[in-house]
Amino acid sequence: VVSVDPVLGLRILSLANSSAFALSRRMSDVRQAVSVLGLRSLRNLGLGLLVSDLAPQTPFGERILEQSIRRGTACRLIAEHLGVKEVHEFFTAGLLLDVGLMNLAQTDAKLAAELSSMSSQSRSVRERVLGLTPHAELSGKMAKECFLPDATVAAIEAHHHDEPGEDSLAHGTWFAERVASLFDSALVERDRLSLIEAGCKIGLGSEAVDDILARTPVEVAEAAAAFQRQLPPQQTIDDITEIGRAHV
């Protein structure tokens, strides 16, 4: 397929060469990329392109995609700090955390974008109040329909739980949700301390948490470019903290 679809080929090369897949060398040929990536990585790459295409080409759609890429990026960075080699598996799982909201965006993009900007707890409560199927359940269902491993499905479904699961991928999705939520917090300094406490539950110290927070905006912008989607300029946690102080 990629040999006869140059647009798809360019998208595969762009994403394969991004930090999401962390390849040891840069690919310049589609067939070379396909050979190096292997079936599992190609599956993950295809799912990433699918998520990108699900997000409507509107400001609301871009907001949802931004949240998804942020979770995928955070999950990949968490994998690095946990010593996981297959970081692209974490990126894909993180990217799929909000895919349930993308289904909602097909009919009500404004509501989906509103939900995507809420904290983990507030989002779940709001979904129940509106009588919606929880997006974590919908995301897990899609992961299952894509024949992802049971452990990946479980990690996606449980990312809003109060405590992390037992395996490293469940740790990644659980903590990635909390990292991403901090970028939407109105009380960054308070919530940053809570995030550091949460990091301790999965074996991450404060330095690791700060590194993840510092690198996330840069790598979100890079991943968006790889998906060939335009996102707003990415603010750092320090930027968001200063904005919050200015409004106090």
Side-chain angles (χ1 to χ4, degrees):
V1 175
V2 296
S3 63
V4 297
D5 190 335
V7 175
L8 176 60
L10 287 174
R11 293 183 74 191
I12 288 175
L13 274 180
S14 180
L15 188 54
N17 285 322
S18 74
S19 58
F21 283 80
L23 296 179
S24 59
R25 65 181 188 277
R26 191 168 184 82
M27 300 291 107
S28 58
D29 177 78
V30 177
R31 292 183 180 180
Q32 178 191 27
V34 169
S35 175
V36 170
L37 285 168
L39 288 177
R40 287 176 64 186
S41 294
L42 279 174
R43 177 204 64 195
N44 291 332
L45 189 149
L47 285 171
L49 294 176
L50 173 62
V51 169
S52 174
D53 290 346
L54 276 175
Q57 297 271 3
T58 66
F60 292 129
E62 299 299 346
R63 176 60 177 160
I64 300 165
L65 181 61
E66 178 182 30
Q67 294 286 7
S68 294
I69 293 176
R70 184 173 291 140
R71 282 159 174 77
T73 297
C75 204
R76 190 192 69 76
L77 293 172
I78 292 162
E80 280 189 17
H81 281 282
L82 293 177
V84 176
K85 292 183 178 180
E86 301 294 330
V87 295
H88 58 84
E89 298 279 356
F90 278 61
F91 178 79
T92 301
L95 195 67
L96 290 173
L97 296 184
D98 275 359
V99 75
L101 289 176
M102 291 192 181
N103 285 334
L104 175 61
Q106 306 306 310
T107 55
D108 194 336
K110 183 178 180 180
L111 176 58
E114 175 192 334
L115 289 169
S116 73
S117 300
M118 290 181 173
S119 66
S120 299
Q121 185 176 9
S122 298
R123 187 189 302 188
S124 299
V125 170
R126 181 69 170 154
E127 286 174 332
R128 288 196 297 270
V129 169
L130 294 173
L132 300 173
T133 301
H135 73 277
E137 182 180 326
L138 293 174
S139 298
K141 181 180 179 182
M142 178 175 175
K144 192 171 185 177
E145 290 174 348
C146 291
F147 302 103
L148 293 181
D150 290 343
T152 303
V153 174
I156 290 170
E157 290 177 336
H159 71 276
H160 279 296
H161 286 186
D162 292 335
E163 298 293 329
E166 296 182 358
D167 60 60
S168 60
L169 184 56
H171 288 174
T173 56
W174 182 83
F175 194 62
E177 175 63 33
R178 284 144 186 82
V179 169
S181 292
L182 187 64
F183 285 86
D184 288 312
S185 173
L187 299 168
V188 175
E189 292 173 298
R190 182 204 67 182
D191 292 342
R192 189 175 193 162
L193 293 176
S194 297
L195 184 67
I196 290 173
E197 290 178 4
C200 291
K201 294 184 178 182
I202 64 168
L204 296 180
S206 60
E207 289 186 4
V209 173
D210 285 342
D211 180 68
I212 291 166
L213 291 174
R215 293 169 62 190
T216 292
V218 175
E219 298 201 13
V220 166
E222 181 184 336
F227 283 124
Q228 300 178 356
R229 295 292 294 265
Q230 185 71 37
L231 296 182
Q234 295 299 299
Q235 294 179 321
T236 68
I237 285 296
D238 289 341
D239 292 335
I240 297 169
T241 300
E242 289 302 316
I243 292 171
R245 286 173 178 168
H247 285 85
V248 173

